Amino acid sequence: MKAKRFLAAAFALSALVAGCGGPGASSDDDKNTAQSTPTATVEAKPDVAAAGDVTLTVWDQNVRGGQNAEIEELNKQFQAKYPNVTIDRTKKSFEDLQKTVKLAASGADAPDVVQANQGRGVMGEMIKAKLLRPVTDYAKVYDWESRYSSTLLDLNKFSADGAEFGSGDLYGLSQAGEIVGVFYNKDKVSTPPTTLTEFEASLEQAKGAGDTPIMFGNLEKWPGIHNFESVLGQTADKQAIRDFVFARDGASFDNPEFQAGATKIKEWVDKGYFNKNFNGTDYDPAWQSFAKGKSWYLIAGTWVTADLAKQMGDKVGFMLMPGQDPNAPVSLGGEDLPWTITTSAKNPDVAAAYIDFLTDANAAKVLVDTDNLPAMKGAPKPASGVSVEVADAWQKLNDADGVIPYLDYTTPTFYDDISGAIQELLGGKQSPTEFTAGVQKAFDKWSESR
């Protein structure tokens, strides 16, 4: 794919990031690990070629078509540039990585480089356990600050004890930008809706035509976070959502705006706007059904762009979730899982060079060529296809300061708390007010203990 250069807008997400507390704990094992943690004192770019024969063990979650294609290509290029380095790659689904990465990083054969999800649930807990090495020193010698907006870097920062999220040392870099938006079938939707009212009218039209309006697979529970929060962004003030995720004083989940979001998405369930048995349908079969023309819309992240483009060609479109004002869009997203260096890495210098390689200008081009959305500044703009619409949406969202962070960043257990509660809400086992009250109770339990 040929690409034109453009200077991506810096993320206007300063309101997203603030110091926020997390539970603190210490053990003898933590203290022993802390003593062996490599000191962040690198003063010059490492000489990878002089490192001798190195096997770099990497764990990532780039299992989907475009994601896998870009990392395979970049791994091949890195090994060609440094023949002394062999990359031993383990790829896992997001769910599997979430469940296993902390245990793997604490083991005797820990990977050198891992993708660790932002927020308190994974990255914060790994930093608290001294399982990740800060990379602030490498950021200086490689000038990573000029590669990203300060806010994107801040989303990968923590204090050394894992208590403060959004400030302190840098612990990793992300490759891709992310938006959870709405893919649509252009054969079924000739004119994309621009407001929430128009979107709901289109959903009703699809239902009236005997079609499935929105394809949804929530068996794994995390997709429910994305569908709910996409609606929540249209009923609640974006700052209120940000304040809750970052545990700011006075922030609340159990309030009328959040209840309105829960009520709205439950109404969509009751009106038949989602496929039947969505809570028992896997994520991948859901987007694959959409690609086969079995629904008008799909609420999903831009990580499925390459897969949908491959299967649907020019029949797939992308838009931000329509809200009250077309000029003030709000969508959840930010950046993908950052690449981090474990404290057990046998050669952190080579690991840092690898992360630098995955996020430089050449990597940005590889990302675009494989229908991914680069997070880095100055990335190429795609020349054709749905990736153009994704890139334009990214630009529009940033210009409007419309990004809200993922709800599962909120507490160490919030991924399980919120995903399970949403599944029960959508399944009719909780009312909207019971849902918001229950989530608030889980948050308060953590907040009071920290």
Side-chain angles (χ1 to χ4, degrees):
M1 179 186 299
K2 294 183 179 178
K4 302 174 183 177
R5 300 297 300 183
F6 85 117
L7 191 60
F11 240 100
L13 300 179
S14 57
L16 289 182
V17 182
C20 31
S26 179
S27 67
D28 291 339
D29 288 343
D30 287 347
K31 291 175 183 176
N32 291 337
T33 306
Q35 292 173 358
S36 63
T37 300
T39 304
T41 58
V42 175
E43 297 180 354
K45 289 184 181 180
D47 185 353
V48 177
D53 291 337
V54 175
T55 296
L56 193 68
T57 306
V58 178
W59 279 31
D60 68 65
Q61 57 113 39
N62 288 358
V63 298
R64 302 187 186 282
Q67 294 174 311
N68 185 64
E70 65 90 1
I71 200 64
E72 286 288 326
E73 174 61 24
L74 289 172
N75 282 350
K76 185 174 86 172
Q77 291 184 15
F78 186 80
Q79 291 173 109
K81 183 175 181 179
Y82 301 111
N84 59 310
V85 178
T86 299
I87 296 173
D88 180 7
R89 180 191 179 205
T90 296
K91 57 181 179 180
K92 291 178 173 286
S93 68
F94 172 77
E95 302 83 16
D96 287 345
L97 190 64
Q98 288 273 97
K99 294 174 182 176
T100 60
V101 67
K102 286 182 278 188
L103 182 61
S106 64
D109 296 319
D112 301 303
V113 176
V114 298
Q115 282 191 287
N117 199 15
Q118 293 99 335
R120 299 184 185 91
V122 177
M123 180 179 274
E125 290 295 285
M126 291 182 75
I127 292 168
K128 187 172 71 172
K130 308 299 181 186
L131 297 177
L132 297 181
R133 180 201 191 280
V135 295
T136 305
D137 51 344
Y138 290 119
K140 292 178 181 177
V141 299
Y142 284 110
D143 194 23
W144 287 340
E145 290 187 2
S146 69
R147 191 172 295 176
Y148 293 85
S149 71
S150 61
T151 308
L152 283 183
L153 290 173
D154 287 347
L155 287 173
N156 294 328
K157 287 182 179 180
F158 266 95
S159 59
D161 59 1
E164 298 296 325
F165 176 26
S167 62
D169 276 316
L170 183 69
Y171 279 88
L173 288 184
S174 300
Q175 274 190 307
E178 289 183 353
I179 311 169
V180 175
V182 184
F183 290 93
Y184 62 93
N185 188 318
K186 291 184 176 181
D187 284 347
K188 299 177 182 293
V189 182
S190 57
T191 303
T194 60
T195 66
L196 185 60
T197 299
E198 291 179 0
F199 184 56
E200 290 185 296
S202 182
L203 299 180
E204 186 63 35
Q205 183 183 0
K207 181 67 178 176
D211 291 339
T212 298
I214 304 173
M215 194 60 67
F216 182 24
N218 195 40
L219 180 62
E220 296 153 313
K221 296 184 180 180
W222 61 264
I225 300 174
H226 298 172
N227 280 39
F228 166 68
E229 196 172 354
S230 293
V231 175
L232 179 65
Q234 317 317 317
T235 67
D237 181 77
K238 61 188 178 184
Q239 194 57 48
I241 299 170
R242 294 165 176 169
D243 288 348
F244 178 76
V245 171
F246 288 99
R248 293 178 180 147
D249 290 343
S252 170
F253 195 93
D254 190 19
N255 63 62
E257 290 185 344
F258 282 53
Q259 290 165 3
T263 298
K264 175 67 69 178
I265 196 168
K266 184 59 170 64
E267 286 177 353
W268 288 7
V269 173
D270 295 341
K271 290 180 178 180
Y273 291 165
F274 295 112
N275 49 296
K276 295 179 180 179
N277 193 34
F278 56 81
N279 270 340
T281 302
D282 275 331
Y283 185 77
D284 287 340
W287 70 253
Q288 289 162 359
S289 292
F290 166 75
K292 294 175 182 176
K294 295 184 179 180
S295 71
W296 288 29
Y297 297 102
L298 174 75
I299 298 173
T302 47
W303 49 84
V304 298
T305 301
D307 294 303
L308 292 175
K310 181 178 180 180
Q311 295 195 30
M312 299 179 70
D314 60 4
K315 293 183 179 181
V316 61
F318 180 82
M319 64 183 182
L320 300 171
M321 172 61 76
Q324 307 302 323
D325 182 356
N327 296 315
V330 176
S331 290
L332 66 154
E335 56 187 346
D336 70 342
L337 276 61
W339 300 80
T340 67
I341 303 174
T342 66
T343 54
S344 298
K346 300 175 183 64
N347 197 319
D349 283 356
V350 175
Y354 175 68
I355 293 173
D356 180 71
F357 190 84
L358 295 184
T359 58
D360 66 9
N362 172 69
K365 182 180 183 304
V366 171
L367 284 162
V368 170
D369 289 346
T370 50
D371 285 317
N372 292 283
L373 177 65
M376 296 79 80
K377 296 178 182 178
K381 184 174 180 178
S384 62
V386 67
S387 289
V388 174
E389 296 172 33
V390 169
D392 289 345
W394 172 258
Q395 184 83 38
K396 182 178 181 180
L397 190 63
N398 286 292
D399 289 346
D401 183 28
V403 175
I404 51 176
Y406 295 105
L407 285 169
D408 54 278
Y409 290 175
T410 307
T411 78
T413 63
F414 211 69
Y415 175 84
D416 292 327
D417 296 336
I418 189 69
S419 61
I422 290 171
Q423 194 171 64
E424 292 200 347
L425 168 71
L426 301 182
K429 296 181 179 179
Q430 292 185 20
S431 69
T433 53
E434 289 172 334
F435 163 72
T436 57
V439 171
Q440 184 70 49
K441 183 178 179 180
F443 173 80
D444 289 344
K445 182 179 179 181
W446 166 78
S447 182
E448 291 166 2
S449 68
R450 59 183 174 139

